[in-house]
Amino acid sequence: MSLRRKTALLLGVCAVLLSCASYSSRQSTAEELTQILAGNQRTEAERARDPYRHPKQTLLFFGVRPEMTVLEVWPEPGWYTEILAPLLREKGKYIAAVHAPDPQSAYVTKGLARYREKLAARPDLYDRVEVVPLPTDGGEVVPAGTVDMVLTFRNLHNWMGHDEAARVFATLYQALKPGGTLGIVEHRGNPALPQDPQAKSGYVNEDYAVRLIEAQGFRLVAKSEVNANPRDTKDYPQGVWTLPPSYELGDKERAKYAAIGESDRFTMRFVKPAR
């Protein structure tokens, strides 16, 4: 073999090795997530929800990696921010698409203030978080085609309640790069019952969600039962908010609802088809 061919081969091997070293594997991502989940930025109350929310398994199912640009939709009060922002801080980028400011809504105003206070309290973890408002009118949330992954946790029913779901998913589709991932977790409805278009109970039927999301151009590629809860009967006086952590009925039958646990949830991964 000539010196030129040997040199070319060596350079090729080095390029492959550097590529492998710079892009995290599922195993190395899992190890980072394990460390982050044990970090002191998380309170005991937040960790107590891990058996219902399964953050490590859920994020690995979605395929998150530390090198990605990830946009989380409506992250307030920041349960997943405490996991994703540290994971993406060094090699990637975490974008928090928060509620658009609304002076008429005390809920939104207080929620945004608490979220920004959380970020400011730990600059060692959250100093690189980019905060942007999420338009619900179909407008642009970030420049088109700049995000590797969009994640949304239990927000679909809210968008349905305000007849905004189709416009929001169109915005998220625009934000993603071709081939990018949309990961969604939502309270799973009873398939034997017709879907309330406004999802007043907080529950959304899987097939309804798939049709709604795919109508905006996404393609469903995988489902996971990681956040399933077969004890959830989905027939409560105050809808899904009867269950923990909301306990809308207060102390009334609290032990019963605590035994059920948090809601049954579907977990689905969609892609924006590559052109």
Side-chain angles (χ1 to χ4, degrees):
M1 183 183 295
S2 68
L3 179 60
R4 179 178 294 179
R5 290 190 63 189
K6 288 180 179 179
T7 301
L9 180 60
L10 180 60
L11 289 173
V13 170
C14 289
V16 170
L17 291 174
L18 286 171
S19 175
C20 292
S22 64
Y23 195 81
S24 301
S25 67
R26 178 185 173 89
Q27 180 60 36
S28 63
T29 302
E31 292 169 358
E32 284 196 56
L33 284 170
T34 297
Q35 294 177 355
I36 291 167
L37 288 168
N40 63 10
Q41 81 279 12
R42 307 184 74 221
T43 66
E44 288 303 314
E46 288 159 343
R47 294 174 203 231
R49 299 189 68 191
D50 288 357
Y52 301 110
R53 303 195 70 177
H54 306 95
K56 180 178 175 180
Q57 299 94 318
T58 298
L59 293 175
L60 291 175
F61 168 73
F62 289 146
V64 72
R65 296 291 186 270
E67 301 83 11
M68 289 181 169
T69 296
V70 177
L71 183 147
E72 184 186 356
V73 185
W74 282 3
E76 310 97 301
W79 197 90
Y80 261 105
T81 297
E82 295 180 354
I83 303 166
L84 287 165
L87 178 71
L88 301 164
R89 184 173 182 271
E90 295 298 328
K91 302 177 185 177
K93 186 176 186 180
Y94 174 69
I95 305 172
V98 300
H99 285 78
D102 181 359
Q104 304 303 315
S105 172
Y107 172 83
V108 169
T109 300
K110 290 179 181 178
L112 288 173
R114 285 194 297 266
Y115 187 67
R116 290 186 181 278
E117 287 170 5
K118 175 190 284 286
L119 299 184
R122 290 295 302 267
D124 57 317
L125 296 177
Y126 308 134
D127 61 332
R128 300 176 188 175
V129 174
E130 180 180 346
V131 179
V132 298
L134 174 75
T136 56
D137 60 359
E140 189 175 78
V141 61
V142 294
T146 58
V147 173
D148 296 300
M149 180 175 289
V150 171
L151 300 177
T152 176
F153 301 96
R154 305 179 346 272
N155 290 314
L156 173 53
H157 63 278
N158 292 306
W159 301 331
M160 290 170 60
H162 292 89
D163 195 26
E164 297 168 341
R167 294 192 296 271
V168 169
F169 283 116
T171 291
L172 303 181
Y173 185 90
Q174 183 183 35
L176 277 170
K177 299 175 182 177
T181 296
L182 167 69
I184 178 170
V185 177
E186 182 56 273
H187 309 295
R188 175 163 38 203
N190 182 347
L193 299 177
Q195 177 66 54
D196 168 15
Q198 291 192 310
K200 295 184 185 71
S201 68
Y203 289 100
V204 180
N205 291 351
E206 274 190 272
D207 59 350
Y208 186 95
V210 171
R211 289 195 301 271
L212 176 63
I213 296 169
E214 288 194 331
Q216 304 310 315
F218 291 100
R219 180 167 58 85
L220 177 66
V221 292
K223 296 181 181 182
S224 171
E225 290 299 297
V226 65
N227 294 305
N229 180 1
R231 296 185 300 275
D232 180 5
T233 57
K234 312 172 186 184
D235 55 357
Y236 314 113
Q238 296 297 320
V240 72
W241 302 281
T242 307
L243 298 176
S246 298
Y247 288 115
E248 281 296 305
L249 295 179
D251 291 332
K252 183 179 179 181
E253 298 188 287
R254 191 180 184 94
K256 168 186 171 181
Y257 298 122
I260 292 171
E262 296 192 21
S263 67
D264 176 40
R265 296 161 187 167
F266 63 71
T267 304
M268 297 191 288
R269 185 170 76 242
F270 294 81
V271 297
K272 177 179 180 175
R275 287 183 170 73

